[in-house]
Amino acid sequence: MMRQNELVERVASYTRDYDEDLLNRAYVYAMHQHRHQTRESGAPYFSHPLEVAGIVTDLKLDQESVIAALLHDTIEDTDATKIEIESLFGPKIGHLVDGLTKLKRIDLVSKKTRQGENLRRLLLAIADDVRVLLVKLADRLHNMRTLNHVPPEKRQRISQETMDIYAPLAGRMGMQGMRDELEELAFQNLHPEAYSLVHSKLDQLQKKTRAIINEIEVSVVSNLAQADITAVVKSRNKRPYSVFRKMERNSVSFEQLSDVIGFRVIVDRAEHCYQALGVVHTRWRAVPGRFKDYISTPKQNDYRSLHTTVVGPSRQRVELQIRTHEMNDIAEQGIAAHSLYKDGVYSAPEDATLLKGDIGGADSAASMASESRAYHWLRRTVESLSDRDHPDDVLEQARLELFHDQVFCFTPKGRLIALPQGATAIDFAYAVHTDIGNSCVGCRINGRAAPVVSKLRNGDEVQIMRAEGQTPPTAWENVVTTGKARAGIRRATREARSKQYSGLGNKILTTTFKRAGHKFERDQLENVLAKLAHNTTDEAIAAVGRGELPPEDVLKAVFPDYQKDRGARGKSAAGEGWFNLSGVANIMFRIPGRRREKYAEAASKLADAIPIRGAAGDLPVKLDPDGGAVPGDRIVGILTPGEGVTVYPIQAEALQQFEDSADQWLDLRWDIDPDNPERFPSKIRVIAVNAPGTLAEISDVMATSDANIATILLSQPDPGLAQMIFGVEVWDLNHLNRVVRELRSLAVVSEVERVN
Ligand code: MN
């Protein structure tokens, strides 16, 4: 245990403004008051207030704070009273100890309904004199450091409260060092397994990168020395909790996070920060968009520093924070390091004028001007908390500002949804319920229709528009910030995909059976599942849809005599029921036997084919990007296992490569709804006179005939001619033909043809 004289020495090491006798008396008084008590660990209770006082001296706080730390548990836990403490140590210390005692009685976690009121009491207690908060944080830190002696349930509750309230509060006051340690200890207790996993990975990483870190460190120091800048360069250790939070939020892997090495460069004067930045940027390539100047524009919690990221010697990213020693102290200790604090302006007068809202009055204007931003925030918040007209609004605002890396939004019924900064309406929908996320099609933010990808802001009221049977677009995966939304989207996409394959399998089997003169019914599969090597009917049908199970195998399993009437199919490319390509030029292909007749017949026969409702329809279908099938084209599908069906116009040259894989071919037909808003990509080759204005004339025609030009490929086959291949989006074959006709009518155009 720290001795009396050690405590005095600690205080004497950073201030001359202390009273040795008073410190000694407080030490003895606290020890005496707690003499019969022990901690959970069995240690004498007095060791706790003494350690808290030690932390307070680490923060270099004034003597009154040190004494308040020694006495902070006496009123609550012993027979000491506020009056007694005031008479022994003076009214200011009595006031501080009283404030700390009140804080002790506030339970910030247990009952949700009381949470708002308790947070309000907490803010009122600490803003009255910020030293109450500082000693409270020291108290909490020591309790967290010694939490392993506490029973598990209480340990959870204290850790949760630390994570939810005290760590953010320390951060808001700019006390980064305090915040970090509180978060790490709370994380370790709340999620022991995650903690030990991340911790051991960080250890391995540190061993691996030690050499490179040394190399960079030496290199930065020597480059700065050449420019006459003295600097302390330190690598920044990654903290398990911050790594864990990044992994959780951004769904990035540990490996992705670990390729960044962080350094802190501490110099003597502010102008050296900018000079050092210049040296670093001259020596190494800067990563664009990563430079931030928090010196000219400090953060709300007084944080000042330059941030940049460069590409280091082994091509890894190196993050640098460049700051002065003073900026570093403020970054680590925030409000506790603020010079003002030591001038004694921090303490509110006994009559607590700041609660009466005359902050801007003449008598306090001078102190406001030099006050730290963090403390200013606290005072302003508390000032408005006493505005009795809208206490809830103010409290909510305080909560919002306190947890500044989160956004708080509301459902129309007023339920609070907390999301990480940058979250979208989609994240919101998934946070409310997975089903709501899955069926989300639109949203209203604060009553106005807004895109679902909109980033939410604090206080937004979000109403989600839903449509049943909807599948979230896969692209959303890259937009959302929460793991819950990402996982929900993946699962829904996977399920929808498998439903699509079942639908396709069903259709393939229906046509295959029909062609053999049978009617396909699901029940038929039940007895032959073993033969098909699948466990359920659904699985077997989906396997057909995925192209993993040939439909003929199913047919043969159900009707073993099938082979007799129809002959084996699939072995010969010219097999019945399918067609074969052997042509060289477009359209110059043969459709053997019955198939040709079939295609020659009216569309009624095509009713056997699988209907395609476009690329956005209900089947796993995509259009060949080069082949450009448009509605009206005779089409076939190529079923590729795992990829679904690619649709080709029957004249597509690309089909030749599938000539020998008859199993993959599917009969398809268009079934486009007249209201379908989808356009279809196609390609048109135009040979025209190579003269100025030709391209403009051609694109004019495209525009007036309502064709979207998606791509243009220009070449010059001949000095006088220009060849242009247009990727054009059209409604259907008629539309495409009309565009071709219009182009042919142009005088500058010599040839127009569709390309497949
Ligand atoms: Mn305590």
Side-chain angles (χ1 to χ4, degrees):
M1 225 188 298
M2 204 192 311
R3 293 167 178 279
Q4 249 167 286
N5 61 330
E6 281 177 73
L7 184 66
V8 174
E9 276 165 24
R10 276 177 174 238
V11 176
S13 74
Y14 60 84
T15 179
R16 277 191 225 155
D17 186 13
Y18 70 98
D19 176 343
E20 188 172 344
D21 177 52
L22 198 66
L23 275 168
N24 282 331
R25 278 195 287 128
Y27 184 102
V28 172
Y29 178 80
M31 184 160 67
H32 179 76
Q33 286 295 322
H34 291 295
R35 67 191 180 282
H36 297 306
Q37 294 170 297
T38 51
R39 302 203 82 208
E40 308 256 9
S41 62
Y45 192 89
F46 178 58
S47 65
H48 165 65
L50 191 56
E51 287 298 326
V52 175
I55 294 171
V56 167
T57 61
D58 289 341
L59 294 172
K60 300 192 169 87
L61 302 190
D62 67 353
Q63 169 179 263
E64 285 170 359
S65 306
V66 177
I67 294 176
L70 285 171
L71 305 178
H72 80 272
D73 279 333
T74 54
I75 295 181
E76 182 76 4
D77 299 345
T78 75
D79 56 10
T81 61
K82 185 187 175 193
I83 293 169
E84 188 180 42
I85 287 172
E86 275 180 347
S87 70
L88 288 171
F89 304 100
K92 280 194 177 169
I93 289 173
H95 186 73
L96 288 174
V97 177
D98 185 47
L100 285 157
T101 308
K102 283 181 187 147
L103 277 192
K104 222 184 155 181
R105 294 175 184 151
I106 299 175
D107 181 351
L108 292 156
V109 174
S110 64
K111 296 176 202 83
K112 285 277 177 224
T113 45
R114 304 281 305 150
Q115 210 182 3
E117 179 52 28
N118 282 336
L119 181 58
R120 172 196 172 83
R121 282 163 57 198
L122 170 89
L123 289 174
L124 283 170
I126 60 184
D128 190 20
D129 186 326
V130 76
R131 292 176 297 180
V132 172
L133 171 64
L134 301 176
V135 177
K136 179 67 195 176
L137 289 171
D139 176 32
R140 179 50 59 110
L141 182 59
H142 185 246
N143 284 332
M144 290 301 295
R145 283 178 182 172
T146 52
L147 206 57
N148 48 336
H149 300 294
V150 169
E153 203 175 299
K154 194 174 168 196
R155 203 188 298 178
Q156 286 286 312
R157 194 180 58 79
I158 292 175
S159 300
Q160 195 64 55
E161 191 183 67
T162 301
M163 194 63 111
D164 290 352
I165 307 284
Y166 289 105
L169 204 46
R172 192 62 189 75
M173 293 296 115
M175 304 167 75
Q176 199 52 45
M178 174 73 77
R179 180 193 186 152
D180 289 353
E181 192 175 348
L182 288 175
E183 273 180 356
E184 293 308 320
L185 290 166
F187 173 50
Q188 194 175 349
N189 279 286
L190 289 169
H191 307 286
E193 281 169 23
Y195 176 84
S196 67
L197 178 79
V198 177
H199 194 269
S200 75
K201 286 206 155 214
L202 281 174
D203 268 359
Q204 292 165 13
L205 178 72
Q206 222 176 2
K207 283 188 194 113
K208 228 171 59 187
T209 52
R210 189 166 297 151
I212 185 96
I213 285 173
N214 283 340
E215 188 192 330
I216 296 171
E217 213 173 289
V218 168
S219 177
V220 172
V221 170
S222 74
N223 274 280
L224 290 177
Q226 281 166 26
D228 285 330
I229 302 168
T230 317
V232 181
V233 179
K234 281 187 222 155
S235 77
R236 278 187 296 136
N237 282 336
K238 291 186 169 68
R239 296 180 301 117
Y241 179 64
S242 73
V243 169
F244 172 74
R245 202 164 57 154
K246 273 187 197 142
M247 287 166 71
E248 198 184 39
R249 277 191 185 173
N250 308 331
S251 177
V252 284
S253 65
F254 184 83
E255 280 64 31
Q256 278 171 288
L257 279 175
S258 60
D259 58 352
V260 182
I261 299 176
F263 283 92
R264 190 162 291 158
V265 178
I266 302 174
V267 296
D268 293 333
R269 293 148 49 136
E271 60 263 36
H272 291 171
C273 293
Y274 293 97
Q275 286 164 13
L277 180 79
V279 170
V280 166
H281 279 183
T282 312
R283 178 68 186 71
W284 294 283
R285 193 165 62 76
V287 177
R290 300 283 300 175
F291 171 66
K292 293 210 175 68
D293 183 353
Y294 292 119
I295 293 179
S296 63
T297 316
K299 286 193 188 179
Q300 279 299 309
N301 61 9
D302 305 315
Y303 177 88
R304 285 184 300 158
S305 206
L306 298 179
H307 288 189
T308 189
T309 304
V310 297
V311 180
S314 318
R315 306 198 52 76
Q316 75 287 66
R317 286 182 163 216
V318 180
E319 281 176 3
L320 294 153
Q321 299 173 342
I322 306 172
R323 53 176 75 153
T324 64
H325 291 282
E326 187 196 338
M327 293 173 194
N328 192 49
D329 284 348
I330 290 174
E332 293 289 315
Q333 301 192 12
I335 194 164
H338 207 276
S339 60
L340 242 182
Y341 174 77
K342 275 132 198 164
D343 298 336
V345 188
Y346 50 86
S347 167
E350 284 300 302
D351 63 355
T353 47
L354 68 90
L355 292 181
K356 291 182 185 146
D358 62 354
I359 286 281
D363 52 339
S364 57
S367 62
M368 287 296 294
S370 51
E371 190 172 68
S372 87
R373 283 157 178 264
Y375 191 41
H376 175 66
W377 170 82
L378 193 61
R379 286 168 67 124
R380 188 167 43 76
T381 300
V382 174
E383 176 196 350
S384 31
L385 270 176
S386 57
D387 168 7
R388 289 288 162 183
D389 293 342
H390 309 283
D392 293 342
D393 296 356
V394 174
L395 186 68
E396 201 47 58
Q397 193 56 36
R399 204 205 293 261
L400 301 184
E401 291 181 13
L402 184 53
F403 306 107
H404 63 289
D405 52 355
Q406 296 191 52
V407 286
F408 292 84
C409 303
F410 300 90
T411 65
K413 283 182 183 160
R415 185 176 149 204
L416 177 74
I417 304 288
L419 294 164
Q421 197 69 252
T424 64
I426 307 166
D427 292 290
F428 180 92
Y430 275 99
V432 175
H433 197 278
T434 306
D435 287 345
I436 294 184
N438 286 341
S439 57
C440 164
V441 287
C443 72
R444 298 179 83 82
I445 298 175
N446 303 323
R448 284 211 190 125
V452 288
V453 296
S454 309
K455 288 201 179 4
L456 299 177
R457 284 189 299 213
N458 263 327
D460 279 347
E461 185 190 294
V462 185
Q463 186 185 357
I464 298 295
M465 308 300 181
R466 306 170 59 191
E468 288 308 329
Q470 195 66 28
T471 308
T474 39
W476 282 6
E477 242 189 78
N478 305 319
V479 180
V480 299
T481 59
T482 54
K484 188 174 182 195
R486 198 169 288 114
I489 292 163
R490 277 189 200 148
R491 196 178 319 111
T493 319
R494 215 167 35 233
E495 276 165 18
R497 196 97 185 132
S498 104
K499 229 181 254 170
Q500 286 188 336
Y501 283 123
S502 309
L504 180 62
N506 219 353
K507 286 183 170 140
I508 293 174
L509 288 171
T510 306
T511 25
T512 308
F513 275 54
K514 192 172 176 186
R515 216 174 277 140
H518 296 292
K519 188 168 166 21
F520 170 68
E521 277 162 44
R522 292 172 53 91
D523 306 349
Q524 294 162 331
L525 299 193
E526 265 166 37
N527 300 323
V528 296
L529 284 172
K531 263 196 226 173
L532 299 174
H534 281 277
N535 292 324
T536 68
T537 310
D538 281 336
E539 276 177 29
I541 295 176
V544 173
R546 279 196 301 271
E548 289 161 9
L549 175 61
E552 293 70 32
D553 287 7
V554 181
L555 187 60
K556 273 182 271 180
V558 177
F559 300 104
D561 53 347
Y562 158 70
Q563 231 165 327
K564 284 178 208 149
D565 1 310
R566 305 295 295 182
R569 209 184 52 64
K571 283 178 188 148
S572 152
E576 293 289 346
W578 300 88
F579 47 85
N580 178 20
L581 298 173
S582 62
V584 191
N586 294 347
I587 322 207
M588 296 291 289
F589 61 94
R590 287 176 319 192
I591 304 171
R594 303 171 60 88
R595 199 65 187 168
R596 175 162 41 187
E597 286 158 34
K598 191 169 169 182
Y599 274 114
E601 280 168 25
S604 67
K605 276 281 179 184
L606 275 171
D608 276 358
I610 294 164
I612 297 298
R613 298 200 168 85
D618 54 347
L619 294 176
V621 156
K622 61 176 190 241
L623 302 170
D624 171 39
D626 296 321
V630 301
D633 277 332
R634 195 62 65 71
I635 48 173
V636 290
I638 296 295
L639 179 61
T640 311
E643 282 180 26
V645 178
T646 309
V647 179
Y648 294 88
I650 203 159
Q651 70 273 22
E653 278 180 56
L655 281 172
Q656 283 179 50
Q657 58 182 306
F658 301 106
E659 223 172 303
D660 294 331
S661 354
D663 281 350
Q664 286 182 268
W665 292 65
L666 290 178
D667 286 340
L668 306 178
R669 67 179 165 86
W670 292 108
D671 182 18
I672 301 293
D673 187 338
D675 297 331
N676 186 352
E678 194 180 343
R679 282 172 179 263
F680 294 82
S682 61
K683 279 193 179 158
I684 298 175
R685 178 169 41 225
V686 178
I687 309 274
V689 177
N690 192 11
T694 301
L695 184 59
E697 218 175 308
I698 290 169
S699 53
D700 266 359
V701 167
M702 299 263 199
T704 51
S705 42
D706 188 31
N708 281 347
I709 300 177
T711 57
I712 304 179
L713 190 67
L714 295 173
S715 61
Q716 211 174 337
D718 193 293
L721 294 177
Q723 172 177 280
M724 304 160 218
I725 297 176
F726 292 94
V728 180
E729 293 169 344
V730 295
W731 302 110
D732 55 20
L733 188 57
N734 284 338
H735 186 199
L736 180 61
N737 289 337
R738 196 168 73 240
V739 174
V740 169
R741 274 200 309 276
E742 297 281 334
L743 289 173
R744 280 189 181 136
S745 71
L746 285 176
V748 292
V749 167
S750 69
E751 265 180 73
V752 183
E753 65 172 350
R754 183 177 172 191
V755 195
N756 281 118

